[in-house]
Amino acid sequence: MRWLLFALLVAAAVWMFAAVVWRRIGYMKLGAPAVFERHRPGGLARKTAKDGALQDSVGSEPGSGIKESRWRGRSVRRGGKTGIGREMFGHRRLLNDWRSGTMHLVYFYGFIMLQFGAVDLIWKGLNGGEALPIPFYGPFSWLQEVTVFLVLLAVVYGGYRRYGEQLARLKKGWKPSIVLWFIGGLMLSILLSLSFERLGAAPVVEARYAPISGPVSELLGHLVSRGSPLAHAWFEAFWWLHLVILLSFLVYVPQSKHFHLITAPVNIWFRRNTPPGRLAPLDLENEEAESFGVGKVEQFTQKQLLDLYACVECGRCTNVCPASSTGKLLSPMHLIVKLRDHLTEKGASITSKSPWLPGSLIWQGAEPAAHAMGSVMPDWGSHGDEAEPLAAYKTNIAPTMDVQKAGWAKHAGAKAEDLELIGDVMTEDELWACTTCRNCEEQCPVGNEHVDKIIDMRRYLVLMEGRLPADGQRALQNIERQSNPWGLPRAERAAWIEECYSRTGIRVDTMAERKQRGEKLPSLLIWAGSMGAYDTRSRKVLFDVIRLLKHAGIDFATLGNEEKSSGDTARRIGNELLFQELCRENIATLGKYGIRHIVTVCPHTFNTFKNEYPDFGLSPGVLVEHHTELLARLVAERRLKTRFAVEERVTVHDSCYLGRYNGTYEAPRSVLRSIPGINVREMERSGPQGMCCGAGGGLMWMEEHSGTRVNYARTAQALEVKPSVISSACPYCLTMMEDGLRFLSADEEVEARDVAELLAESVFGR
């Protein structure tokens, strides 16, 4: 009878587990087939400078003489087998928060260890208390008990973190507590089973191998006589309780966020192997395509849908999101959770397979209900210590967490297949709040990719429905008509060349002028970009870069009026059509002059050229560099000598598109460290942990309508280290920092300056 009941329970649990997993796989299969790239389409796999394939015009390999960044390995991700060990078994991202990471390490390795203990305990119950016939059984038992105790401590600490410390990123309520009760119940049932087992006639192991159950059995011995039928009955009760909890947990796992135990390793294995944040191109010439972008959940790829079931709901993504932190509606964690709930409900409707077992066996005729997002917005209000001057600009995710919890709810009578993905599930306010900084992706322990989903939905809004904020629409129209976001005359794009000559005495030739004179074309092209060409403040940075390159003896030219917008803004806003037009026109121009080396002062242009233009025909032999990379190399080679001291306390604001997208954190810092007098003071959030300035994703050209402005919050973080200069390496960041300093009335004591400006001061003097 014991064996029969055991077999029935196990068979029922395994069947329900398999059925639930299979049904969710069926929901994911509703998505578009995923393409797992190991190289660029058309065989355009870029070789690195290490391979010796790319040599720059200066005559040395990029990066030579520059220390490898201590952050580089943490910032640039690759898929497949590379790094999967560190992610899965080393908990690299989880250990960004060492307390939670350590707790999760105990859970992870504890459960691996305790699977063997579970087999031993089940074997004992089925075979009259006989131990597993394995060598070193005593040390094995000791290790099992210590592991159980450590996992119990982790459960208590997990409860404290969630309900004692009240971490804002962690959900509260009965649902998130279930797993604590499951794990705690499993551990207690093991300990009590072993303790009552020791009260039997003949303990299986010596007392020295029972560090936990031994003392507990001594205490229980005051209540239950050793060797009595009652002691055996209690062992039986806790043995069966352990089995029921274990099998219930097995069934519960795929129906909860703990499905990540199964899906996370698969998700990490199949994550992108292309540069981080590179957007997949749309085939706009596909005449069979009914729509572009994602307007329905099943239009995501199967890999994107796998992301949804891999989510741990740990809140690390939301905790670092600049939108969530400054009172916007967007929360990356809730983005994934809402899409997952919607997929589950819509998948169940399409496949007629209930996602819940054994619930579907009980509530067959329940009235339909589906989750939808209510009309809510965070109440930023006041928070923090009001006595602090910058308290109103401190980051705080609590308002966003609260309204997401209140807004996402089931509506009786609602059918998932009738809901609009954009509007009923994800609101437009959420989609347009994303700065595409990818901090969420860098923090995610299971490899989820949030930004591409947001861009795919933006693409649908822009390309299929023409819906986007008015200021974003205006920027796109200006780019289309005049190739710059302000709508300034296209013919004035080269006006900076004359101003550069009047200010520096350096005449910058265009490629067309060199070609017309029959001179040899330089291999290095300075790409001014829209900011460098039109923005007065950014021109100063461009001029200093030109002065430094000229001083180093480097031959270069520019495109002048032949240069167009790189298309980064258009692509991040969602207008893929405009981006591809600009991209192909720019590639044709570069090809006309045989350009082999491009240097740009804008990280957004740098990222687009380096990582996205090759998809559309840019030769993999073209080296694309950011100006800080080139300047750092010139300083290391002593071609630029820092002669004058610059007495400044400098804190570094990292550009997301330079750092998180391309792993370049060290180059700006190596330049600053080379300048005598500079004292670098890192912000609490710097490097890979740095916070966005708020200008990415096209938001440079759009207004923020809720909470506080992201750049005010970031500027306030910089001011905490009491700098005299906030240094950046991006014209967008420079603009946002200067605006923040003016707003916070700190612009008289603190300046925002580009790395190149500080280097130029040290090389040339004031």
Side-chain angles (χ1 to χ4, degrees), residues 380-383 385 388-394 708:
W380 185 243
S382 61
H383 61 277
D385 184 359
E388 292 185 35
L390 302 177
Y393 309 104
K394 287 188 177 295
T708 190

Side-chain angles (χ1 to χ4, degrees), residues 364-439:
Q364 287 281 357
E367 182 184 359
H371 281 88
M373 188 66 184
S375 179
V376 292
M377 284 299 289
D379 179 14
W380 185 243
S382 61
H383 61 277
D385 184 359
E386 295 186 5
E388 292 185 35
L390 302 177
Y393 309 104
K394 287 188 177 295
T395 56
N396 180 18
I397 65 171
T400 298
M401 292 287 289
D402 291 343
V403 298
Q404 284 286 353
K405 179 181 179 180
W408 186 242
K410 276 196 171 185
H411 295 259
K415 296 181 179 180
E417 61 268 33
D418 295 334
L419 298 178
E420 295 290 338
L421 176 65
I422 304 174
D424 294 322
V425 178
M426 289 298 300
T427 66
E428 293 185 39
D429 285 324
E430 292 170 277
L431 299 182
W432 295 116
C434 179
T435 67
T436 67
C437 71
R438 286 192 58 254
N439 207 349

Side-chain angles (χ1 to χ4, degrees), residues 12 92 134-135 139 163 172 180 184 204 253 258 274 301 324 402 423 434 436 459 512 521 562 588 627 637 692 720 737:
R92 181 175 68 85
I134 58 174
Y163 299 105
K172 312 298 188 294
L180 296 177
V204 177
V253 160
H258 301 284
T274 53
T301 67
S324 308
D402 291 343
C434 179
T436 67
R459 285 169 164 174
L521 297 179
E562 289 187 277
H627 73 278
E637 293 171 355
C692 179
E720 287 179 358
M737 292 298 102

